[in-house]
Each structure stands twice: as C-alpha cells, then as structure tokens.
Amino acid sequence: MKCTSLLIILSFACSVAVQTPSFAAAPTANEAVPGLLPSSRISPSVDKIVARSLETFYYAGEDQRTRVSMRLINSQGKERKRVMTLLRKDLGTSGEQRYYIYFHEPSDVKGTAFMVWKYPAREDDRWIFIPAIKLVRRIAADDKRSSFVGSDFTYEDVSGRDLEDETHNLLGEETLGGRPVFKIESAPQAKVEYVRRLSWIDRERGLPLKEEYYDARGELLRTFSADEVREVDGHWTATRRTMHDAQSGHRTEVVFDEVNYDVGLGEDLFSERYLRRPPGQWVR
Amino acid sequence: MSTEKGVKKLGFDSFFFLFFMLVWSATVSAGDSGWMPQIHGFLQAHAAARLGNVDCAVQTACDWPFNEQRLQLKAEGSGMGGSLGYAAKLDLLHDAALDDSDSDVRELYADYNAEHLTLRAGRQVNTWGVADLLFINDTFPKDWVSFFGGLPLEYLKLGSDALRLDLYPEFADVQILLADFREDRLPDRDRFVLPGPEISAALDEPSDLEASLRVSRYFGSWDGAVYLSRTHYRAPAMSQIAGQWRGEYPRLNAYGASLSGPLGNGVLNFEAGYYDSVRDRDGTDPAVENSQTRLLIGYSRQVAEETTLGFQAYAEWMHDHDAYRRTLPAGVPERDELRTVATLRFTQFHLHQTLRLSLFAFWGVSEGDGYIIPSVRYAFSDNLWGELGANLFVGDRNGQFGSLGDNDNVYATLRYAF
C-alpha cells in the first residue's frame, strides 16, 4: 500500500561513517605517512587520498543545506524528477551525522520527509513521515547498494562508504578536464555487484571527478561524473553530478540548486517534530 | 439530543472556521510570500468488482461496489516566517456506483508554531501507534468501506474536527488532542453483502468532546510513547427498547504504550493497550464491548534488494469472558476469549521503483479466517500511476474477516497527480 511504497522508495540507507582526520594539504603520490603502515610507502598515501576524498565529499563543514533537483532519465529519454531539500549536521568529529530530507516534488510525494541518525559504529536510525496519513514511522535499515528513490545512485553513494570497505591502489597521476588527478583503483572487501572501481580524484581539491564501476567480467556497470565543481563557503563542491548505468542506459542527473555550509542548523531540527512540520527557515 | 448536539457542533466548528480565517488573513496581511496557497491535487478513478455468485439485494451496488471519479484539491500556505500556516484538502466525488455526487472536506486546519509549542485547529488526520494496519492506541476514526474496497490507504483515515496542542519540553514531546466525536464508516448493505438481517436503528452520537494524550521520547535508539484516550467506541452498540432498535457509541477509555527500535537490520515494534469499556465494566451487557487487553509485536526488514518483509503477531484478550458468555443472546455466535491475528507484508520494487508488487495478509489464527490483499502498482510517470489489486476474505464465516466472505473483489485505481 502507499505507506509501504514510500517506506521503500524513500528509505535511505547510510553506511557507517568514516572516521577520518582532516587534511590541510593534499598528499602527494609518493608521500609516506610516518607511523601508519611503515612497511609500505604507497598504501598509506593511497588511503590518505581516499580518506580525504570521502571527507571532502561527505563531511564538508559543520552542517550543510542543499536544495537538490534530480532527473531520472531512461534509455528512451523519458524523464522523472525529484526535488528535495537536504539538511546535514555533523555531531563532533566522531563521524556521527544527522540527515533530514524533505521532498518538494513530485506532487504525489510532496511533504514526505525522511530523517537519518548516522553512527560511526552501528546501524543508523531512520524515520519517515508520510503526509497523506500523518504517519511517522521508523524504517528498517536497507541494503546500502539499493537504489536511492529509484535513481542510479545507491544509498551508499548519497551518504558515503567506509575507507575500509575497499582496498585501494594508486595507479598514477594524470589530468582530467584540465585538472591534475590521482587515478585510483579500489576493490570492495565484501561481495557486491562490482569488483573494481576506478576513480579520478582532484589532486588539489580532493573531490572525485569521475568513477567507473566494473563487474567480474570486466564490463562497465556505472559511471559517475562531477560535471560542475564550485567552491562554496570555502568547500569544493560538485554542484552537478551524473550517474550513468552503462547496462540499461538509464542515468540520473543531480543539480544542487542551492547549497550552503555552516549555516547554523540546530540539532533539534533532526526530530519527530520537524518531520511532521518542516522547519520553514530551512525547507523552502 | 440531536438538536443539542447540532448547536454544540456548530460552536466548535465555528471556532475552527474563525481561527482558520484569522490565520489566513494574518498570513495574507503580513505580505509574506508564502501565504499564497500552493495548489496541488489529483484526479482519480477507482472501480471494484465483486467476485463470487451470491445474489445482491435489489437496488444495491454490491456487484460493482465502487465506481467513482474523484478530484482532490490541496491548498497550503504559511506566513509570518512560518509561525502561521494553513492547509485544506477537498474531494469532489462522483460516485457512479450509487449514482451520487458529493464533496468532502477531508482536511481544513490552521497552524500556529512557536518555539516550544504548536497548535493545530480544524479538521485533521492523526495517526498514533507503531502497528501496521492493526490498531491499538490509534482510536481515531477510520473508513473501513474505502479500505475493503481497495481505495488508496490514505482513505482509511478520516479527519476529526479537533484542536491539537504539541508541547516540546526538554524531557519529551507531548501531544494533547481535543476532538469532536466522529464514527467509523462501516461496511453497509449498499455496497457489501453482509450476514444477518438488516436492522434500521436510530443512532445517538455522543456530544461530549474526546480527549487524548500522547507523551513520547527517544531512549537511545528506541522510540517510546505512552497514550491515554477518553473516547468512544466508533461502531454503534445496538440494543432494542420497546421493539425499536437504538444505536449508541459507548464510552471507552484507552491506555497504552509503544516501543520501536532497531534489531539486526530490521525494526522491532511493540504496542500494548488496555481498553476500559466504561459502560460495561462487568461484561454483562451483550450490546457493549467488554474491556480488552491488546498486545502486538512486529518485525520488518529488507530481505533482498528492493524487497521488504514484515510480520506481526497480535492478541486481543476479552475480559470477563464468563459474564459475556452468560449474557450472550441465543443464536449469536460466541467470540473467543483470546483472539489472535498474524500479519505478513511483502513489498518488492522493479524497474527503477516504478513497478511495485505488494501483498498484505491477515491470518485470523484463533478464528480460522483471513484477509489477503495482493496488488501491483505501476507509475507511468511522476504524475500518473495505476494499481490493480484484490481484497480476498477467506475462512470461517463467523470470524471478523470471514464474515465478509461474500465480498471478495478485484479493483483498479488510476491517479493523475498535479
């Protein structure tokens, strides 16, 4: 029934948060990190690059307010649209985070709101508000590799993965779209649908500019691209991004219509009260 | 009694209307850009065909219990920096099954938001508790006609004319609700084939306000809540006085609690409630429900990609069962002291979540009956979806689900949202 459909459509699995220190400067490919795996001069640097990339992509600032438009386009060019406001707040430096997502469009799900309390060492807590029946319900932790609201992004793509979920290998340095990048190969530790991920990470800004996921037969599954990168409130942000499913031809284009960091979101926003009645100051 | 009630009702409704207009005019005069209503809604066609070959009574629609076209208009707006708001939901309905047209104000309320409280006045829907399609602490009015006919789930809930105050002190969230009585909409003989003789009765609606309280808070990763309701049964208790049938809605006090939290990769729910049947505390009035204790445990989790499974076990213990048996009129089937029900929910998505397969099944363990609701929904676009489904009642005809055994139906719904 409608209730459950929304539970699933909007449920939003978050991976366990990454505990990473902040890095003031970009590491170079040959830089070793004293004290960390002293026997290897490559792996620590690779881990450091990937850790910084995760930090930049998922943990920028103390909090973040974003208005997002998402276009879901199938291989025939038929389009669906999702418009949402996403609020995020980091609690301290432990990796604990709060998320709040309010859906503005399509009109059939307008008013639906979704909340996640994300923890570094255990499963997240998640709730959904279904406006048609004024129901707040706790929802089950979903498979991190499932589609986020029917898009080509997985829940994990939206909320981040652990550094330790994959092993990483630096393949070299090159330029991509005029930017110097590290080219990194990662292999997941667990059995998931991809066995190999290539990523191109901006050497100075730390953002992933492109990612390719391959299956065991070496076939390309999905391609991520950061189509527009801007510096917002001192944080490099991919304000346009696309995930393309190479198998089905389906793709999802995401545009950050508005984004700001360190806006002063209170921890109390992430509660049942605001699930039922969106905070007008932030959700517009 | 009906005149008295009419006056009282008018007073309560007038208060809402006044408050609504005040909020609306305040938001307008404030020159706030948010006051302009955002208008949305949908056009919806819904039809259900009864299965089976039991003949319908003449001049009823029970072969095609539903054939309706509906326009819903939703308007909402806010002003004064979000401290005032309003919302309205109006349905214009053409009911081709009963050859009738009607309008239905499903919601119409105004909101006031302050730092530590919110106030909502007007017709509003409220949903309490953690159970899935079984109700313990949610004593609010429901529309079972729509539910058994396969209408979308939101039509199961009826709005109440109510004043709701939410307080947010440090230790908990507190919700206080004062509401006008509204009865459940129960299956009628216009659309359903029901056992037993038809009784025409004068119904007396309660005129006093109902009051409910919910106090909830987080305990780590668990959500806990306690509930108190001073309310009425929403199905009439029928009694015969001097040859005339009369229906009343007896007083009910409900006390309960719920707890919901994570277990493994799923969610575990507990809910319990005690129904104090004020009018029949010793259980000797066969027309009035006995007091009850209701318990529920439920668990749901994702079992595969895009696939969720949920189970619930529910028990309803009738108090003073001996007194009930002693006073039960001859020929009336006896209800068990302990009624147990299990439910299963299965949901699976395909094609980028545009296709949904769903199954909800009630199994009346103690009564030997069941109610199965399979459905398939496909979203043609963001605006247009269609659903095909069925309502199948099986098992013992004396059971609560089985008694609807002649009403198996298949239904189709098409909705265009804007």
Side-chain angles (χ1 to χ4, degrees), chain A residues 38-230:
Chain A
S39 60
S40 162
R41 292 186 62 80
I42 296 298
S43 322
S45 285
V46 168
D47 282 357
K48 205 169 165 185
I49 294 165
V50 175
R52 177 170 178 254
S53 161
L54 291 169
E55 170 91 5
T56 309
F57 207 68
Y58 297 108
Y59 286 84
E62 302 279 309
D63 62 39
Q64 178 184 358
R65 175 190 176 272
T66 315
R67 191 170 157 115
V68 182
S69 297
M70 200 179 246
R71 290 164 69 212
L72 285 55
I73 305 159
N74 74 9
S75 55
Q76 287 89 49
K78 201 172 146 191
E79 206 174 299
R80 294 185 291 149
K81 197 175 180 191
R82 308 275 172 270
V83 178
M84 60 200 103
T85 294
L86 191 148
L87 306 176
R88 168 180 63 83
K89 184 176 178 63
D90 294 358
L91 302 186
T93 54
S94 67
E96 195 172 337
Q97 290 182 314
R98 301 276 192 264
Y99 282 90
Y100 175 97
I101 301 175
Y102 176 89
F103 284 81
H104 300 274
E105 290 181 38
S107 66
D108 212 32
V109 297
K110 180 178 160 48
T112 303
F114 181 65
M115 181 168 79
V116 181
W117 291 7
K118 182 174 157 179
Y119 305 103
R122 60 186 168 98
E123 287 299 329
D124 310 327
D125 292 320
R126 290 162 212 155
W127 296 264
I128 192 168
F129 173 66
I130 298 159
I133 49 173
K134 303 288 188 284
L135 173 72
V136 169
R137 174 152 290 179
R138 177 183 280 272
I139 52 178
D142 281 303
D143 181 351
K144 291 187 279 194
R145 308 295 311 159
S146 287
S147 157
F148 175 68
V149 296
S151 76
D152 297 288
F153 290 91
T154 64
Y155 301 123
E156 192 177 79
D157 295 330
V158 176
S159 65
R161 59 176 71 82
D162 279 356
L163 178 67
E164 301 80 17
D165 286 350
E166 298 171 310
T167 55
H168 310 283
N169 183 23
L170 180 65
L171 298 183
E173 295 183 42
E174 52 189 65
T175 56
L176 181 73
R179 298 290 312 163
V181 291
F182 298 116
K183 185 177 179 184
I184 288 168
E185 181 183 49
S186 305
Q189 306 268 28
K191 192 170 165 15
V192 291
E193 86 287 358
Y194 72 94
V195 298
R196 180 168 173 253
R197 180 169 69 96
L198 292 179
S199 51
W200 288 261
I201 295 174
D202 191 304
R203 190 182 154 141
E204 290 159 22
R205 298 170 179 172
L207 276 183
L209 299 182
K210 185 180 170 187
E211 292 178 335
E212 292 175 348
Y213 294 79
Y214 293 89
D215 69 10
R217 292 172 301 169
E219 296 216 12
L220 180 64
L221 296 173
R222 299 191 303 155
T223 305
F224 166 85
S225 57
D227 307 321
E228 180 185 87
V229 173
R230 285 196 289 130

Side-chain angles (χ1 to χ4, degrees), chain B residues 288-302:
Chain B
V288 179
E289 291 280 338
N290 282 22
S291 295
Q292 283 182 346
T293 298
R294 298 181 174 197
L295 293 169
L296 175 130
I297 179 168
Y299 185 68
S300 71
R301 63 163 295 180
Q302 179 161 341

